[in-house]
């Protein structure tokens, strides 16, 4: 289709400027759309990076708890009188803010000594994670749970094998998820 050109110079300039304005408006609109799309992609990348960082920190925190339980096992507290064992556990809990409670189990159903674990044997979640650790022979971690004061926590259990390979003892730690989450909140933008 052929559009007739205006006859006057003024009309031709106005037509040219109008066309130029529409072209520039289209370019600006497309650039804005592309910029918004780019920002959305950047936001997604930041969320993925934050999640990756959070997962690494969380894994590191769990590794620290496993190392703590290994160190407690090396102290051989199960061989000490319950009162002395409890006093040492209390000192350890005071030194590690992420740990709410510690306990040494003689077997899957009997607590040798504990600090801040109430009704450990009657707690189904604690019994399950101790049983899982005993069956697998490896460090075991419970799912999210709340303890007696309704605060979120995880239970970590490390079985301790004797020279014959039997697992007569378990080291148990109740990890404070509020503390862990506050620690990771430092990484949030």
């Amino acid at each position: 289709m052929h559009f007739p050109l205006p006859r006057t110079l003024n009309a031709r300039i106005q037509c040219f400027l109008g066309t130029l304005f529409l072209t520039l408006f289209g370019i600006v609109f497309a650039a804005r759309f592309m910029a918004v799309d780019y920002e959305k992609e950047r936001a997604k990348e930041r969320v993925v990076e934050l999640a990756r960082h959070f997962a690494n920190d969380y894994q590191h925190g769990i590794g620290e708890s496993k190392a703590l339980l290994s160190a407690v096992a090396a102290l051989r507290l199960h061989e000490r009188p319950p009162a002395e064992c409890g006093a040492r556990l209390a000192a350890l809990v005071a030194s590690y803010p992420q740990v709410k409670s510690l306990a040494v189990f003689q077997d899957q159903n009997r607590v040798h000594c504990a600090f801040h674990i109430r009704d450990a044997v009657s707690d189904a979640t604690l019994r399950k994670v101790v049983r899982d650790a005993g069956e697998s022979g490896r460090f075991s971690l419970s799912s999210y749970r709340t303890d007696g004061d309704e605060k979120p926590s995880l239970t970590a259990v490390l079985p301790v094998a004797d020279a014959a390979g039997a697992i007569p003892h378990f080291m148990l730690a109740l990890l404070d998820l509020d503390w862990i989450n506050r620690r990771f909140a430092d990484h949030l933008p």
Side-chain angles (χ1 to χ4, degrees):
M1 173 181 246
H2 177 65
F3 292 104
L5 290 175
R7 293 182 186 229
T8 65
L9 181 63
N10 194 19
R12 285 181 182 178
I13 291 173
Q14 285 179 350
C15 184
F16 173 74
L17 290 176
T19 304
L20 182 62
F21 174 76
L22 286 175
T23 304
L24 289 175
F25 180 76
I27 290 170
V28 167
F29 183 75
R32 185 182 183 293
F33 181 75
M34 288 174 23
V36 167
D37 201 33
Y38 175 76
E39 282 304 314
K40 285 181 183 177
E41 284 300 316
R42 292 288 298 141
K44 287 178 187 176
E45 288 173 10
R46 285 191 300 268
V47 167
V48 168
E49 186 60 33
L50 181 64
R52 192 175 292 128
H53 191 67
F54 183 84
N56 286 340
D57 280 354
Y58 202 77
Q59 189 175 11
H60 181 72
I62 298 301
E64 287 176 352
S65 301
K66 185 177 179 181
L68 170 65
L69 289 176
S70 294
V72 170
L75 294 174
R76 305 186 61 76
L77 295 177
H78 58 276
E79 295 175 353
R80 305 206 184 267
E84 181 184 342
C85 175
R88 288 193 180 206
L89 292 179
L92 287 168
V93 169
S95 301
Y96 293 89
Q98 74 270 29
V99 177
K100 293 165 59 169
S101 308
L102 280 171
V104 176
F105 278 65
Q106 281 299 96
D107 54 37
Q108 291 185 15
N109 296 311
R110 197 166 43 115
V111 177
H112 175 68
C113 65
F115 181 75
H116 273 208
I117 293 182
R118 297 179 201 92
D119 302 323
V121 174
S122 64
D123 186 318
T125 304
L126 291 178
R127 280 198 328 261
K128 181 184 180 322
V129 74
V130 170
R131 185 177 59 248
D132 291 348
E135 289 171 0
S136 70
R138 297 187 330 225
F139 177 78
S140 185
L141 197 62
S142 74
S143 59
Y144 171 90
R145 65 184 297 271
T146 56
D147 57 12
D149 57 3
E150 297 302 316
K151 294 195 176 183
S153 60
L154 290 175
T155 304
V157 177
L158 181 71
V160 180
D162 61 14
I167 301 175
H169 309 290
F170 297 88
M171 303 300 142
L172 182 139
L174 205 57
L175 307 175
D176 184 355
L177 279 181
D178 281 342
W179 180 89
I180 293 170
N181 290 335
R182 282 190 306 275
R183 177 178 167 196
F184 297 140
D186 295 340
H187 299 294
L188 296 175

